Amino acid sequence: MEKEPNEWGPKAWAHLSAVRAQSPLIQCITNYVSMDLVANTLLSAGASPAMLHTIEEIPDFTPHVRALYVNVGTLSANWLPSMKAAAQLASQLGKPWVLDPVAAGASGFRLNACLELVQLKPTVIRGNASEIIALSRASVGPTKGVDSSHESMDAMEAARCLAEASGGIVAVSGAVDIITDGRRVVSAHNGVPMMQKITATGCSVTALIAAFVAVDPSHAFEATASALSVYGIAGEMGMSMAKGPASLRMHMIDCLHGLDQAALLSRTNITTLP
């Protein structure tokens, strides 16, 4: 395992700087629980969120976005057609889109919905280990709801297989984040455990991935790793001022907004795995 601060720190800073300079419009079809933190995460990073999910608006709106983010957290039969229509349109137009398969293995309906979305070729799939394993195996099994019952490293082979099958990047969140395109694998080591005590941090980092990929779609692998590291660094810096989950949430948003080059160059911790 080889740490590469000289390579990844500048990449992370370049991606964050591009988001701030370009303010990409990111369409978010995400769950009710996450909408607030997702929107504020994107705004604090410099992107422009649009929380638009009505199917009647997709033909007019989606062609104008830089990237699409689809999150199935509070999935319903009414929302699924919107998700599929937006993803299909984004793919047809060559726009990156990112899938968060929340609790993919919790029910047959949810798993089938996620598998149908994977067929529409997401640029990136980001989930916890249990979600990625369920998608890779196409199987329903015991879950802890949106929480993972596996460590991220347990899902490395499942992530590789899913990346090869989908043709996209797969990111597995956990104490250590795993990112793979089916061939290359890197791990991001930034973040603090208390981030797991704040609802929608996983949803929000997936939205940040969408913003980073929007400004560098030809390097989605690097953009995904950079986004995970940047979000983790904001959590680390916020933790130094926080007294608990609620104050960490506030400070994390502030720190993401104020991240500078020096912090990213010194703190980015991404390693290459065999």
Side-chain angles (χ1 to χ4, degrees), residues 207-261:
L208 190 64
I209 289 170
F212 276 39
V213 174
V215 297
D216 194 8
S218 62
H219 299 95
F221 178 81
E222 292 82 359
T224 299
S226 293
L228 286 161
S229 187
V230 164
Y231 196 71
I233 291 168
E236 292 170 0
M237 295 176 71
M239 192 67 222
S240 67
M241 298 174 278
K243 296 181 179 180
S247 54
L248 175 57
R249 184 186 192 276
M250 176 186 70
H251 289 302
M252 187 167 60
I253 293 170
D254 285 348
C255 289
L256 180 57
H257 174 73
L259 274 179
D260 60 19
Q261 184 176 18

Side-chain angles (χ1 to χ4, degrees), residues 260-274:
D260 60 19
Q261 184 176 18
L264 290 190
L265 293 181
S266 63
R267 288 177 173 266
T268 300
N269 188 356
I270 297 173
T271 59
T272 300
L273 297 176

Side-chain angles (χ1 to χ4, degrees), residues 31-236:
N31 67 77
Y32 297 117
V33 179
S34 74
M35 285 183 182
D36 176 79
L37 188 56
V38 164
N40 280 303
T41 294
L42 288 172
L43 286 168
S44 63
S48 178
M51 322 308 280
L52 184 147
H53 61 265
T54 304
I55 194 167
E56 288 81 4
E57 292 187 284
I58 285 168
D60 292 331
F61 188 82
T62 303
H64 301 290
V65 306
R66 293 282 299 277
L68 168 71
Y69 166 43
V70 174
N71 176 301
V72 302
T74 49
L75 183 64
S76 71
N78 292 332
W79 278 38
L80 183 56
S82 297
M83 295 175 176
K84 293 168 67 175
Q88 186 169 21
L89 185 53
S91 292
Q92 288 174 353
L93 297 173
K95 295 178 183 290
W97 77 276
V98 179
L99 173 65
D100 194 328
V102 180
S107 71
F109 170 69
R110 185 172 290 268
L111 178 62
N112 287 333
C114 290
L115 292 173
E116 289 174 9
L117 287 165
V118 169
Q119 291 298 314
L120 298 174
K121 299 297 183 182
T123 311
V124 182
I125 303 169
R126 199 290 313 170
N128 64 37
S130 294
E131 292 159 354
I132 297 305
I133 290 170
L135 269 189
S136 180
R137 296 177 180 172
S139 62
V140 176
T143 72
K144 294 173 63 181
V146 300
D147 297 322
S148 182
S149 54
H150 299 84
E151 298 297 325
S152 57
M153 299 299 283
D154 298 338
M156 189 182 303
E157 192 55 38
R160 284 185 192 265
C161 292
L162 183 57
E164 291 173 357
S166 68
I169 309 303
V170 175
V172 188
S173 291
V176 176
D177 300 322
I178 304 298
I179 306 96
T180 182
D181 61 2
R183 297 180 299 103
R184 298 172 292 174
V185 185
V186 298
S187 55
H189 299 259
N190 294 108
V192 293
M194 194 174 288
M195 293 171 73
Q196 298 176 9
K197 300 297 184 182
I198 305 168
T199 190
T201 50
C203 306
S204 299
V205 77
T206 314
L208 190 64
I209 289 170
F212 276 39
V213 174
V215 297
D216 194 8
S218 62
H219 299 95
F221 178 81
E222 292 82 359
T224 299
S226 293
L228 286 161
S229 187
V230 164
Y231 196 71
I233 291 168
E236 292 170 0

